[in-house]
Amino acid sequence: MFLQVFYANVALVMILIGFYCIASKRNLLKIVIGIEIITIGVNLNILAMGLMENSVEPLAQEMAIVSIAIGAAVAAVSLSILINVYRHYKTLDTRKLRRLRW
Amino acid sequence: MKAEEVVAGILLALLLIYVVAINPDIFRISRVGYSIEFKFEEKTYFIWTNRWVDVAIQAFMLFATATALSALFREEKVEEAEEEVVVEGGEG
Amino acid sequence: MNPMLPLLTLLGGSVATPLVGMFSRKIRFEKIRDAWAILAFLVTTCYFSYLIYSGKLPLYYAVKLEPSWASIEIRIDSFSAYMSLIFSFLGLMVSIYSVGYMSGETGLDEYYALLLTLVAGMIGVTMANDLFTLYVFWELMCISSYTLVSFRKHRWEAVEAGFKYLVMSTIGSLIALYSISLLYGIAGTLNFSELSQIISSGAESISTSTLYFIIAMIIAGFGVTAAIVPFHTWLPDAHPAAPSSISAMLSGVVIKTGAYVIFRSLYAVFFPTEFLYGHILILFGLLTMSVANIMVILQKDIKRFLAYSSIANMGYIILGLGVSTYIAHFYPSDIAAVSLALLGSLFHVLNHAVGKGLLFLGAGCFIKQAKTRNIAKLEGIGRKMPVSAVSFSVGLLNLAGVPPMSGFWSKFFIIIAMLSHPKDTLLHTSTIVFVVNILVAAGYYLWLLQRITLRKPGEQLSKIREVSPSMVIPVAILACICILLTLFIAPVLDLISGPVEALIGYLHKPEAIGGV
Amino acid sequence: MDMVIFHYLFSVLTIIFALITVELKDLLKSILAFAVMNIFVSVVFYLMGAPYVAVFQLSVYAGGVTVLLLAFMHVRGGEKSEG
């Protein structure tokens, strides 16, 4: 119970660090790293929600494993798009891109 | 620097919302028939019998990722005259 | 019939596409690969048509092994079958269109494989009865669509829009996954029927603010793909940058998948009779359509024009959902108005999928021949390309809501539902905003119609001819379907009453929906 | 009860390395900090009682994703720090 709340808070801190990274950094690679940090935080939250005495519920473990694989797939696709972005602009600075303002 | 301060403010607001919204008592209100004897480490076939659709779709997703990478790194022939793009300044 | 059949067809077809492509290059007849993709979509479309026609719904594929709360469940009810039919049918049209449209491009093996996985992901989202399985299918769909948006990677626009779409949509999915994990922490299961039982029975012991937080995160997370206004900024970049066939897919069905998940999770888990979020959804819908309709008028690029109008139409759909949940919360006895709002909303899903698919494919025909997306330079092109232009005009008239067309009726149903409680101030004022938006939208659609088809073509368009048959045929078929929807509106409404009843059924007998 | 100290320690280390990953200007060092963070995350998963997830985290993130990021740096060449 106590560890659950503790890890839920750690997961939230990780997610907020990821959001901060995406929102404030000017480098596209940092944005990808921020997405990965958010993914780690969400996985941590999934496991925290299923935390029992000395073990984690099976469903939570299965969800975390599949979620890790999904995160790796997203990282691979985003990096390959990023290589194509780099070929066009020769830079990773978000301010140099024409429409990438959100 | 201005933008980062705004971001920090938003994050603090989110944290406040979280603290107000989530109190620690939410956990484990009502578990449906969870038995403490059922441990994943001892019964790893669980993932193949009960949740095989997730794993199968994840495998197809890795296939889709591989396809995506080969599409994004394919050899491109010399580009011809493409459709013209209209860029409006200052919006979006 | 096995409910896994359409998924197996599409995913198996997707895996086999590179092999078929290799074979077709060996015998120097590359159309075999295109025919392969068309065949897979055709089988899926026939499957869902048969399923709806036979009426043997809902259909289960349930693994109920030892810990039954952790088993997956695949469930096709009439709502899923209806959405899946739209998805696979538009996939069929787009794959026929791609034979002519994509013929000059490289990497077509990957293109068809990703198109098949895209539709498989969407159909899986509609069929999953477990929130985590739904999330896995959702990511399958998302990964395919990121790549398809940046498929023409030699252009700066495509890769940039693809990256923007990837970042926003991934963050949305992760927010949704976070809320799913909180739900798991509350209930210990993710099966829709068990979740709804736990949440409605233990509602007083669960902190209500947490549940509202989860509802907000589900709407925000899946609303990124559904292009609700604060999260819509990826859409006007991604739709023009993608190939026109993929724009039709994205605008016609991918954003509808986001709307589907919001519909399903709100009605199946968080009953609108117990939770109050209808007014928020109404405000989001009004904001979405107002902002988008203002932005449409400023556009000079035809695909950006259509993209912003897609956002406006998503606003109508979200508004219909919001009205139905609002009425269900405050006037729970008025089932007629709730189902009328849902009927209008779901009918608009069909109308917009067919109509906007038609418009993007038609715009693709014009762009392919004229090599420009500037509306000013496309003026009068309709006179040179009669078949495409007539079909395009039918789509425009349909979405403009000119009275006999079906696009009029779907909005009309929502308005009737909103007017059913004349003393309610929120419904009353939002009706006015909605009607103003519809009139503005009709104005700019008719303005586009006038510029494309009625003006005299300029000098630079003098050598334009009609496009190849494989591009004209799907456009013409979609136009015929727009007209058929208008002519046979009664059977179509009968068809949509199935999904409406499925959603309404969640409200009134929550203990009977498990059905295992 | 002394196990709780390990939970605290590795959680704090994870957060510290996440902050280092975000704040470092040099992208190469930032990626290495990311790998170290993943190792600590997998230790946390192990302490929570999910050894399989820990193994997956270690092999997929600390191995695969880090190698992907480093390969991206190699393909890119040129500027090493964020502008």
Side-chain angles (χ1 to χ4, degrees), chain A residues 3-97:
Chain A
L3 272 182
Q4 264 191 341
V5 178
F6 172 67
Y7 274 123
N9 285 314
V10 172
L12 192 88
V13 171
M14 292 291 282
I15 290 171
L16 291 185
I17 290 172
F19 270 116
Y20 166 72
C21 181
I22 290 171
S24 69
K25 296 300 166 192
R26 298 290 185 193
N27 192 300
L28 292 176
L29 192 66
K30 279 284 174 69
I31 290 178
V32 175
I33 290 178
I35 289 176
E36 296 307 313
I37 291 178
I38 296 179
T39 313
I40 292 169
V42 172
N43 289 340
L44 198 53
N45 196 52
I46 291 173
L47 288 182
M49 290 294 152
L51 194 60
M52 307 294 288
E53 311 282 322
N54 294 323
S55 84
V56 179
E57 287 181 13
L59 183 56
Q61 294 204 33
E62 186 267 349
M63 279 160 59
I65 288 172
V66 175
S67 170
I68 284 172
I70 291 173
V74 170
V77 173
S78 61
L79 284 175
S80 56
I81 293 179
L82 211 48
I83 287 178
N84 281 306
V85 172
Y86 187 75
R87 281 192 187 148
H88 283 280
Y89 287 100
K90 304 290 177 222
T91 179
L92 288 180
D93 197 339
T94 46
R95 284 165 292 190
K96 298 287 193 320
L97 269 64

Side-chain angles (χ1 to χ4, degrees), chain A residues 8 11-12 15 19 22 28 31-32 35 38-39 41-43 45-46 49-50 57-60 62-64 66-67 70 73-74 77-79 81-82 84-85 87-89 97-102, chain C residues 69-70 132 135-136 139 143 146-147 150 153-164 166-168 170-171 174-175 177-178 180-182 184-186 188-190 233 236-237 240 301 304 373:
Chain A
L12 192 88
I15 290 171
F19 270 116
I22 290 171
L28 292 176
I31 290 178
V32 175
I35 289 176
I38 296 179
T39 313
V42 172
N43 289 340
N45 196 52
I46 291 173
M49 290 294 152
E57 287 181 13
L59 183 56
E62 186 267 349
M63 279 160 59
V66 175
S67 170
I70 291 173
V74 170
V77 173
S78 61
L79 284 175
I81 293 179
L82 211 48
N84 281 306
V85 172
R87 281 192 187 148
H88 283 280
Y89 287 100
L97 269 64
R98 264 177 268 185
R99 272 187 189 158
L100 207 56
R101 308 186 187 95
W102 52 70
Chain C
W69 46 271
F132 190 72
Y135 175 76
V136 179
E139 284 290 334
I143 282 184
Y146 304 149
T147 315
S150 48
K153 64 188 182 63
H154 53 277
R155 307 175 57 206
W156 61 268
E157 194 195 7
V159 285
E160 202 177 296
F163 190 70
K164 185 171 178 178
L166 187 145
V167 171
M168 294 190 69
T170 308
I171 292 174
L174 288 174
I175 290 174
L177 183 60
Y178 183 64
I180 288 171
S181 73
L182 287 181
Y184 174 70
I186 288 172
T189 179
L190 287 175
T233 49
D237 290 336
D301 180 332
R304 269 178 103 78
R373 299 210 306 248

Side-chain angles (χ1 to χ4, degrees), chain C residues 341-360:
Chain C
L342 273 179
L343 183 73
S345 193
L346 292 181
F347 192 28
H348 200 71
V349 168
L350 174 62
N351 278 330
H352 183 244
V354 173
K356 199 46 73 73
L358 166 59
L359 288 188
F360 267 112

